[in-house]
Amino acid sequence: MTDRTASLHFSDGAPSVTFPVLSGTLGPDVIDIRTLYSKTGKFTYDPGFMSTAACSSAITYIDGDKGELLYRGYPIEELAVRCDYMETCYLLLYGELPDPAQKEDFVSRVTTHTMVNEQMQFFMRGFRRDAHPMAVLTGLVGAMSAFYPDSINLNDAHQRDISAIRLIAKMPTLIAMAYKYSSGQPYMYPRNELSYAANFMRMMFATPCADYHVNDVLVRALDRIFILHADHEQNASTSTVRLCASSGTNPFAAIAAGVACLWGPAHGGANEAALNMLYDIQAHGGVAKIGDFITRAKDKNSNVRLMGFGHRVYKNYDPRAKLMRETCYEVLGELGLGDDPLFKLAMALEKIALEDEYFVQRKLYPNVDFYSGIVQKAIGIPVQLFTAIFALARTVGWIAQLNEMVSDPEYKIGRPRQLFTGAGRRSVKPIAER
Ligand code: SDX
């Protein structure tokens, strides 16, 4: 408990009210206003939740001013270099990094659940071949609740753990199937001797006609992309998963809701939008035209934004963007694409934007999506699949946050209120009199 308080005084003479001020281990204090409505008959008003902590959490901490990101206390810069995605999944789910035996067991559980029900391929056939992969993924993930009825009870920790392993294990398989379906190529089954990221690369790019040899540099880069995208506090899609799961629905349905929310260009869809933005600038004059594009991005009436720039929380450089830019150098170097014009254009755009008063004043820096598209394109991943890769990586974060909420004895269904600005009570007139 706390002895620190915050008081609310009303100019209309209504009695003042006092609330506890709570502190976490890191970051801003919160004013506990849970009794505000019962004490005052008033709500708080915070569209977009700019000043609202919707929950308490021990999973991920972000310091937007310092550009700091910690998963269970570990800096992303260390995890991205010293761990792989499977270790990161274990950390996010269970709170500690695994020892060798724990890692081996976890990887084995994931590996042996990578196949999907054969019926899933017939579900896929209901889509047009040119369906956006995020539309397909939203459908497939939601459909998993129909295929795995033995792990849909949200309030059963054992069933939640099984559904977590199934979701983490099967997302790569489903996304690779969506890609193969769009290209008319046969599906490739997962191989148990491959690592998580290598398995995904093979399911994506191998064909039954020839052996497939993974490129270890590209596999490591993809694994790092997964680590960087694994969780990110109470972002829009994570908040969607929490609110959806708060109704007691099943884990697959809640994660499908997260996939749907992530699709938006202001959120996970920004990596696809950022690469398309670079293509657009390149097609209209390249580096010479960056100034014109920046001018449009600053013009409120243009509806143009510098995709991959800006963040609700980071008012400093997104630490993931730095790591992603390093990965760009590694991958492009490995592939002999060091002079990749798109990468050079991105670096020129970043330099110009970071010197422009509009962006400096608003503390708009590159975010994780600015460079991730360039890396994924170099690896061979089609642009339309970028957000699906983001969803693949974020699945473990969504699950960890869902588990944390459901395990909190105080959790209840989320049900925000409103400031009503519509018509007052009025009577219906017969249509002849309207
Ligand atoms: C992700 O929340 C998370 O943690 C998300 C994420 C995660 O891991 O889950 O980090 C992943 O979603 C990263 C963000 C990806 N989105 C984009 O790159 C799309 C482009 N960025 C913007 O749409 C925007 O920056 C947001 C949505 C990311 C943040 O928007 P905010 O915090 O609501 O800020 P805002 O829209 O109120 O903008 C503040 C000002 C405005 O100008 P003024 O009204 O003050 O004059 O900055 C301007 C905006 O017009 N602005 C931009 C801009 N972003 C903000 N102007 C041009 N280009 C941009 N990219």
Side-chain angles (χ1 to χ4, degrees):
M1 278 311 284
T2 172
D3 53 5
R4 285 179 301 133
T5 61
S7 295
L8 205 50
H9 305 289
F10 296 93
S11 55
D12 62 3
S16 300
V17 285
T18 298
F19 302 100
V21 173
L22 308 179
S23 296
T25 43
L26 295 170
D29 290 344
V30 298
I31 301 168
D32 181 350
I33 56 158
R34 283 176 285 186
T35 60
L36 173 70
Y37 182 58
S38 62
K39 284 180 176 174
T40 69
K42 292 180 173 62
F43 299 135
T44 60
Y45 185 64
D46 187 17
F49 311 117
M50 306 285 280
S51 302
T52 294
C55 64
S56 63
S57 179
I59 300 172
T60 294
Y61 174 71
I62 304 171
D63 183 320
D65 295 326
K66 289 199 291 190
E68 182 178 48
L69 169 57
L70 310 176
Y71 289 167
R72 301 283 191 183
Y74 292 103
I76 192 69
E77 295 83 357
E78 292 185 33
L79 289 168
V81 172
R82 299 181 186 169
C83 296
D84 63 19
Y85 181 65
M86 286 289 98
E87 290 171 272
T88 305
C89 286
Y90 188 97
L91 172 66
L92 289 169
L93 288 172
Y94 307 120
E96 296 297 336
L97 285 167
D99 63 29
Q102 290 165 331
K103 178 178 179 180
E104 185 181 352
D105 174 62
F106 182 76
V107 170
S108 168
R109 291 177 68 207
V110 171
T111 302
T112 54
H113 284 84
T114 47
M115 278 205 299
V116 296
N117 186 302
E118 281 290 285
Q119 290 295 102
M120 277 274 186
Q121 59 185 300
F122 305 115
F123 188 91
M124 187 82 75
R125 285 183 192 168
F127 289 99
R128 289 167 43 138
R129 292 270 182 187
D130 63 354
H132 194 288
M134 287 300 280
V136 176
L137 193 62
T138 305
L140 290 176
V141 174
M144 286 177 76
S145 47
F147 283 95
Y148 303 106
D150 62 333
S151 61
I152 57 173
N153 180 351
L154 189 80
N155 296 306
D156 177 328
H158 179 61
Q159 291 195 33
R160 284 204 311 273
D161 198 43
I162 293 172
S163 62
I165 295 294
R166 280 175 166 153
L167 280 158
I168 294 165
K170 298 178 196 300
M171 282 298 250
T173 311
L174 292 174
I175 292 167
M177 285 175 71
Y179 174 58
K180 288 298 194 187
Y181 180 72
S182 70
S183 62
Q185 285 193 358
Y187 304 127
M188 297 301 292
Y189 284 93
R191 298 283 311 175
N192 290 354
E193 73 274 12
L194 294 176
S195 71
Y196 189 82
N199 217 350
F200 179 61
M201 290 282 277
R202 183 180 171 280
M203 288 190 284
M204 280 282 293
F205 302 121
T207 69
C209 316
D211 292 340
Y212 179 80
H213 303 290
V214 294
N215 177 318
D216 291 337
V217 172
L218 301 190
V219 166
R220 181 66 189 134
L222 195 58
D223 192 85
R224 177 178 289 185
I225 288 172
F226 294 162
I227 292 171
L228 296 179
H229 288 82
D231 194 48
H232 212 241
E233 202 216 64
Q234 304 310 318
N235 58 85
S237 53
T238 297
S239 300
T240 300
V241 169
R242 279 179 172 260
L243 190 58
C244 183
S246 73
S247 74
T249 189
N250 68 78
F252 302 108
I255 300 304
V259 173
C261 175
L262 187 75
W263 191 1
H267 189 15
N271 52 20
E272 177 180 352
L275 198 80
N276 287 331
M277 171 189 74
L278 291 171
Y279 278 137
D280 185 52
I281 297 172
Q282 193 176 49
H284 292 87
V287 175
K289 288 296 181 186
I290 287 178
D292 294 349
F293 183 83
I294 294 269
T295 302
R296 285 166 56 210
K298 298 191 293 189
D299 173 5
K300 294 279 176 280
N301 303 316
S302 72
N303 259 340
V304 169
R305 282 204 162 180
L306 189 48
M307 301 312 282
F309 259 71
H311 199 277
R312 173 61 59 77
V313 177
Y314 288 123
K315 301 311 173 188
N316 195 326
Y317 215 98
D318 181 336
R320 302 168 298 175
K322 281 181 191 161
L323 290 159
M324 200 60 80
R325 187 168 57 175
E326 286 168 21
T327 306
C328 265
Y329 277 116
E330 288 167 20
V331 169
L332 295 172
E334 169 67 17
L335 297 174
L337 299 173
D339 293 330
D340 179 85
L342 225 47
F343 184 48
K344 287 186 174 301
L345 178 63
M347 289 195 294
L349 182 57
E350 177 192 35
K351 183 176 184 309
I352 293 170
L354 292 179
E355 291 165 357
D356 186 293
E357 184 47 35
Y358 174 94
F359 293 90
V360 171
Q361 183 203 348
R362 290 168 179 79
K363 298 185 178 182
L364 300 175
Y365 291 87
N367 57 51
V368 67
D369 295 305
F370 188 64
Y371 283 104
S372 69
I374 298 168
V375 185
Q376 293 183 74
K377 171 183 166 290
I379 291 173
I381 292 166
V383 179
Q384 272 210 337
L385 221 63
F386 288 178
T387 309
I389 304 288
F390 194 151
L392 183 163
R394 185 55 58 87
T395 292
V396 66
W398 288 330
I399 294 165
Q401 298 272 352
L402 177 155
N403 285 343
E404 182 177 65
M405 179 190 77
V406 174
S407 308
D408 176 350
E410 288 188 341
Y411 108 88
K412 52 171 67 69
I413 187 167
R415 204 305 187 185
R417 301 302 301 273
Q418 63 181 9
L419 173 66
F420 182 71
T421 57
R425 188 181 186 85
R426 52 183 173 165
S427 297
V428 175
K429 290 181 182 170
I431 192 164
E433 296 174 21
R434 287 179 218 156

